[in-house]
Amino acid sequence: MKRPIIVLISLLAFALTVQGAKMPKNATKALLRITTFTSDGKPLKEGYGFFITSEGEALSTFDLFKGAYKAELTDEKGKKWTATRICGANSLYNIVRFQTNCTKAVALPIATEKMEQGHTGWVICPNSKTPLDCGITSFSLIDSMRYYTLSNQACNQLAGCPLVNTQGMATGLIQAGVGKDSTTAFALDIAFASLLHTSGMSAAETALNSIYIPKALPTDLAQARTYIFLATQNLQDSIIYETALADFMQTYPEESAGYIQAMTYWASKGIFEEAEEYYTQSLDAVKEKADIHYEMSKLIYRLNMLKNYSVYKDWNLERALQEASDAYTCHALPLFLMQKADCEFALRKYADAFTTYQAVNASDVSSPKTFAAAAISAEMAGMDSLTILSMLDSAIVRCGATPNATTSIYLLQRAAHLDKYGRYKEAARDYQQVEDIRGTSHLNDNFFYMKSLCDTRARLYARALNDIDKALSIRPNDYGYMVEKALAEWRMGNYDEAIYAAQKALKINPQGADAYKAWGLACGEQGKKEEALKHLAKAKELGDPQAQALMYSLQWK
């Protein structure tokens, strides 16, 4: 008989504790009935939440808000509000914090002390002035937070309602039961709400991105900048992004980042009038205007690089150049000079571009890229080969002592120029170094074809043959490659192989004059004069400009 007596005493003590506790005044006024809606305005889900600040912040369950484009809230008196911003969300613990358009809310005070096993409290229920008595039977720890198991049976309709302690303070958020057959009620520690806030990385959060109501801007400026930048990379709903930009510009009216993002965003949508309006606003609002001019220059420059761009007003390359110059006038940074040089190059002002790139190269932001750009500008301006090669030499030196993939880019450029200027052996060395750095398997057939031609000019005939074989291993049915192989075999004295390669080339292109010429040259070296003349005559018939002279020299042998 002892056990029933103990249970009876415990239940009586629980009842007396609750009865003696003080019910929070106006607790039901903080409760909200919530209806969420789809993108086409149809009801999505219904549930509950409650105000936690007098400024209109509230809590509810994440499940209620998932997939929602709008949330309508109704208080005890039937007054309606809307959720204006999502402040934070966690799908694992099923909680969302949001701001409403209510500025004078009746809010539940937040408990500062945790509930312990055996503590009692209430669940504030909708449509009832009598709260539901409950007790804490146990809890599990989630870091410093608690997940309470309640003495009540599970009631999914109460998910989102507040659990309050005997001091009348909110201490938990009622959760839905685990599984459809669950009979146990749970509540999430109210302290979890303090962890719900947006940060710079929130734009990439899956939970937040599954709610299509605009998000609250991070309160820290650096975080807010990161947020609006990352939002462009994870843009799912234009209204959300546009709202974030508007919030940023309203909160930080003198910060250039918001205007720059707005300019770029509207220009990307082809609404240039809107982009121009934000540019004009920024010049009035922002004190440091260098970044505005720089970003405007980049924006107009990128537009003019598009084939289908129809020039809007004066948004041409001359305007881009002017904006870059204005940026440098505001703040003499090498970065702005680089943009100015890019604009000059695009305008085919190659000598000016070279001079500007050289100014960048004299600064602490010089790089292989800036020296290579100076080299191309010098070449297009018709400058001497020594100037061009010195720029490429500097680009390679700045890649570091250990050759790498970046080095190979500029080695390849230098090889092409050395080959062009008749410095074949030096060019061949650069081509070989590119192959050594990248590896044979990571280069294409065109590389080996160009390398083979350079080797031939450098009189490195064995290497030329090896390189054309590599090109053919990648693209075996290329007529030009096969003809070059025939000539490479001929130069090496491999006349039978040269004839075989020429014949294979003619199978690819039966009207190939070069193939007949290679065949004729090989036959001539073998002493087959009549056959050689026949193939050279065919080459002449097909339009080869050298065939006649070769026939003449063969006849006089």
Side-chain angles (χ1 to χ4, degrees):
M1 293 296 292
K2 287 183 180 181
R3 183 172 179 80
I5 292 172
I6 293 171
V7 171
L8 181 61
I9 291 171
S10 297
L11 288 172
L12 181 60
F14 171 74
L16 288 172
T17 304
V18 174
Q19 186 178 8
K22 200 169 183 178
M23 175 67 181
K25 186 179 180 181
N26 297 326
T28 56
K29 290 183 179 180
L31 197 64
L32 298 166
R33 180 185 293 275
I34 302 173
T35 304
T36 55
F37 297 87
T38 61
S39 58
D40 55 3
K42 294 180 180 178
L44 179 64
K45 293 177 184 176
E46 289 190 349
Y48 295 95
F50 55 96
F51 285 121
I52 57 170
T53 71
S54 59
E55 292 79 21
E57 278 195 69
L59 294 180
S60 186
T61 59
F62 171 81
D63 289 344
L64 179 59
F65 278 74
K66 185 179 180 181
Y69 285 78
K70 178 184 175 183
E72 189 177 85
L73 328 168
T74 307
D75 66 13
E76 182 189 45
K77 293 184 177 180
K79 192 166 184 179
K80 295 187 181 298
W81 313 97
T82 58
T84 56
R85 301 288 187 276
I86 302 299
C87 303
N90 189 297
S91 57
L92 180 61
Y93 298 117
N94 195 25
I95 184 171
V96 62
R97 181 172 182 160
F98 57 97
Q99 179 64 51
T100 73
N101 59 347
C102 177
T103 56
K104 293 183 179 180
V106 177
L108 280 173
I110 302 299
T112 55
E113 295 183 2
K114 309 288 186 184
M115 295 188 80
E116 303 291 346
Q117 185 174 355
H119 281 189
T120 59
W122 297 282
V123 178
I124 307 301
C125 303
N127 303 321
S128 174
K129 292 186 178 181
T130 305
L132 179 66
D133 298 338
C134 70
I136 306 298
T137 60
S138 65
F139 62 84
S140 55
L141 289 174
I142 307 168
D143 294 327
S144 61
M145 309 300 169
R146 298 186 178 189
Y147 197 80
Y148 299 111
T149 301
L150 308 181
S151 58
N152 313 73
Q153 286 193 338
C155 180
N156 289 349
Q157 287 74 21
L158 296 179
C161 290
L163 169 67
V164 299
N165 59 21
T166 53
Q167 285 76 46
M169 307 180 83
T171 191
L173 176 76
I174 300 300
Q175 299 284 293
V178 181
K180 63 179 182 179
D181 298 324
S182 174
T183 59
T184 306
F186 301 96
L188 181 68
D189 192 342
I190 197 70
F192 207 98
S194 65
L195 302 181
L196 298 179
H197 55 81
T198 54
S199 67
M201 299 304 295
S202 291
E205 286 183 18
T206 302
L208 279 173
N209 285 332
S210 64
I211 301 173
Y212 304 109
I213 297 169
K215 312 305 182 293
L217 196 69
T219 54
D220 176 74
L221 173 57
Q223 293 290 321
R225 281 201 203 102
T226 303
Y227 177 81
I228 62 169
F229 172 75
L230 290 181
T232 62
Q233 317 301 312
N234 299 279
L235 189 58
Q236 298 182 33
D237 188 314
S238 59
I239 294 176
I240 292 176
Y241 181 60
E242 290 165 22
T243 302
L245 285 178
D247 286 350
F248 186 94
M249 287 182 281
Q250 183 178 1
T251 307
Y252 307 107
E254 295 185 358
E255 278 291 318
S256 62
Y259 300 102
I260 290 168
Q261 292 288 340
M263 285 157 45
T264 305
Y265 170 71
W266 289 109
S268 70
K269 296 171 75 71
I271 306 176
F272 302 124
E273 297 88 348
E274 197 74 19
E276 187 175 41
E277 176 60 28
Y278 281 109
Y279 169 76
T280 303
Q281 288 180 23
S282 69
L283 293 180
D284 292 334
V286 177
K287 292 181 180 179
E288 298 296 331
K289 297 176 173 54
D291 284 343
I292 297 293
H293 290 299
Y294 171 66
E295 293 294 340
M296 189 61 164
S297 176
K298 288 203 304 179
L299 172 59
I300 296 174
Y301 176 87
R302 287 195 300 266
L303 287 171
N304 280 271
M305 294 300 105
L306 300 175
K307 289 183 179 180
N308 60 348
Y309 171 60
S310 179
V311 177
Y312 168 74
K313 291 186 177 180
D314 66 340
W315 286 25
N316 51 30
L317 285 170
E318 289 288 357
R319 170 71 183 278
L321 175 58
Q322 184 58 55
E323 291 289 343
S325 298
D326 290 346
Y328 189 73
T329 300
C330 291
H331 195 171
L333 289 178
L335 178 66
F336 302 153
L337 271 185
M338 183 71 179
Q339 176 63 19
K340 182 173 181 283
D342 288 345
C343 293
E344 288 168 338
F345 187 90
L347 284 164
R348 301 183 182 181
K349 298 179 178 181
Y350 301 121
D352 291 344
F354 174 77
T355 301
T356 309
Y357 281 128
Q358 282 293 74
V360 176
N361 290 334
S363 73
D364 58 359
V365 300
S366 64
S367 67
K369 182 180 177 181
T370 60
F371 277 99
I376 297 171
S377 300
E379 181 182 21
M380 298 303 291
M383 295 182 185
D384 62 271
S385 61
L386 291 178
T387 299
I388 297 166
L389 289 172
S390 68
M391 294 296 104
L392 291 172
D393 291 343
S394 295
I396 292 166
V397 166
R398 278 161 178 76
C399 289
T402 304
N404 52 50
T406 302
T407 313
S408 69
I409 295 171
Y410 304 110
L411 279 169
L412 191 57
Q413 290 182 26
R414 189 173 70 179
H417 282 85
L418 287 167
D419 194 5
K420 176 182 174 181
Y421 300 137
R423 296 165 64 171
Y424 304 126
K425 289 193 182 302
E426 293 171 82
R429 278 199 299 270
D430 278 355
Y431 275 120
Q432 187 58 49
Q433 193 172 358
V434 171
E435 184 177 357
D436 293 341
I437 293 170
R438 293 195 183 181
T440 302
S441 62
H442 295 98
L443 293 163
N444 61 25
D445 54 291
N446 185 63
F447 169 81
F448 289 111
Y449 177 63
M450 298 303 296
K451 184 170 183 281
S452 177
L453 294 178
C454 180
D455 290 337
T456 299
R457 288 188 280 269
R459 300 183 181 277
L460 303 171
Y461 297 135
R463 200 161 78 180
L465 177 58
N466 184 45
D467 287 331
I468 200 63
D469 280 338
K470 290 176 183 177
L472 281 165
S473 70
I474 300 169
R475 195 174 174 183
N477 294 318
D478 187 281
Y479 169 77
Y481 296 171
M482 195 60 72
V483 169
E484 190 59 34
K485 176 175 171 58
L487 293 170
E489 296 283 13
W490 168 70
R491 295 185 191 98
M492 288 293 293
N494 304 326
Y495 304 125
D496 287 338
E497 289 83 351
I499 291 169
Y500 179 70
Q503 291 171 339
K504 287 186 72 175
L506 286 168
K507 287 181 180 179
I508 300 169
N509 178 14
Q511 300 299 309
D514 289 338
Y516 278 109
K517 180 173 69 176
W519 193 349
L521 287 170
C523 288
E525 293 295 339
Q526 289 180 326
K528 301 174 182 178
K529 187 173 182 178
E530 289 186 10
E531 188 175 354
L533 288 170
K534 180 181 75 171
H535 295 312
L536 289 172
K538 184 66 174 177
K540 176 185 175 183
E541 177 188 330
L542 293 171
D544 187 279
Q546 298 175 331
Q548 179 63 61
L550 290 170
M551 291 171 65
Y552 183 79
S553 64
L554 187 61
Q555 287 171 339
W556 283 93
K557 273 190 176 182

